[in-house]
Amino acid sequence: MADKIEIMYSEEEINKRIAELGAQISREYQGKEITMICILKGAAAFTCELAKRIDLPVEMEYMRCSSYGNETESSGVVKIDLDLDRPIRGKNILIVEDIIDTGRTMNYLMDILHDRGPASVKLCALLDKPDRRVADVSIDYTGFVIPDEFVVGYGLDYAQKYRNLPYIGIVTPEV
Ligand code: IMP
Ligand code: MG
């Protein structure tokens, strides 16, 4: 039997929401330049779509982090696997993440980035799963708030699969 995936947000709904976020960000940062930091791999699809909807000068940077922990829960001890290749001092940073779950990863990462002296740091997350939050994270731009379900698609994976699905769905692994 294959994993079962039940659609939560269609590609059309997601892209509509991303266009709204892009318009809001363009308004709020008017006259400024934005350095988007895409958190790989999960936020890659979201970051590209969002960047296209921002009507301002944008620089795109990439980071990849892993968090020691088990399969389904991060520990909060975050390791940077791929770091930025340029300083961010004085820049307006917009971190782009796929999902904020326990919040441990982002809580840690935001401290690290703040220490590098940017002009500002804001966070944009495609999904927010607040039921499982244990670490304090303030999300400036949220795509959708979702219940405590494991979701895949639009960049999000289950064991590295399903990142390429154009929609977001709840996955029920095969037994
Ligand atoms: P946390 O906020 O530190 O718990 O970890 C967030 C990370 O866990 C995200 O960047 C995802 O990589 C992963 N994650 C959490 N919930 C899900 C989910 O429902 N689907 C896929 N990945 C998830
Ligand atoms: Mg991630």
Side-chain angles (χ1 to χ4, degrees), residues 67 72-74 97-106 129 132 146 149-152 156-158:
S67 152
T72 53
E73 186 151 329
S74 61
E97 176 62 305
D98 53 359
I99 185 166
I100 308 296
D101 184 23
T102 66
R104 287 182 175 124
T105 309
M106 196 46 63
K129 212 195 271 186
R132 281 167 46 91
I146 64 163
E149 301 278 5
F150 199 85
V151 293
V152 292
L156 292 112
D157 74 303
Y158 170 64

Side-chain angles (χ1 to χ4, degrees), residues 1 88 116:
M1 214 184 79
I88 56 170
R116 297 184 186 181

Side-chain angles (χ1 to χ4, degrees), residues 8-169:
M8 185 182 256
Y9 294 106
S10 68
E11 181 175 23
E12 201 184 7
E13 288 172 300
I14 299 164
N15 288 347
K16 179 168 171 279
R17 183 69 191 120
I18 294 175
E20 290 169 359
L21 289 173
Q24 186 187 350
I25 290 166
S26 304
R27 271 197 310 276
E28 294 184 7
Y29 281 85
Q30 200 157 31
K32 295 182 181 161
E33 283 187 20
I34 302 177
T35 299
M36 295 175 83
I37 299 182
C38 168
I39 308 301
L40 296 172
K41 304 171 183 173
F46 175 43
T47 304
C48 291
E49 199 56 41
L50 180 63
K52 288 190 277 179
R53 306 293 159 219
I54 296 178
D55 190 18
L56 293 171
V58 163
E59 287 182 345
M60 295 180 60
E61 303 292 343
Y62 298 85
M63 271 182 109
R64 188 156 56 83
C65 313
S66 52
S67 152
Y68 297 101
N70 57 36
E71 279 280 294
T72 53
E73 186 151 329
S74 61
S75 62
V77 183
V78 179
K79 182 159 85 62
I80 296 179
D81 299 316
L82 174 72
D83 204 346
L84 301 172
D85 52 16
R86 272 184 279 199
I88 56 170
R89 183 162 296 279
K91 294 189 180 283
N92 294 304
I93 299 300
L94 181 63
I95 304 171
V96 186
E97 176 62 305
D98 53 359
I99 185 166
I100 308 296
D101 184 23
T102 66
R104 287 182 175 124
T105 309
M106 196 46 63
N107 180 284
Y108 185 89
L109 193 61
M110 286 188 99
D111 282 349
I112 290 175
L113 294 176
H114 270 295
D115 287 348
R116 297 184 186 181
S120 65
V121 180
K122 287 195 177 190
L123 171 62
C124 178
L126 178 59
L127 302 172
D128 178 13
K129 212 195 271 186
D131 292 352
R132 281 167 46 91
R133 196 78 90 253
V134 296
D136 202 31
V137 174
S138 113
I139 309 176
D140 301 284
Y141 305 98
T142 306
F144 304 98
V145 178
I146 64 163
D148 185 9
E149 301 278 5
F150 199 85
V151 293
V152 292
Y154 220 94
L156 292 112
D157 74 303
Y158 170 64
Q160 299 301 326
K161 286 196 294 185
Y162 307 122
R163 292 192 197 275
N164 60 315
L165 296 179
Y167 52 85
I168 292 168

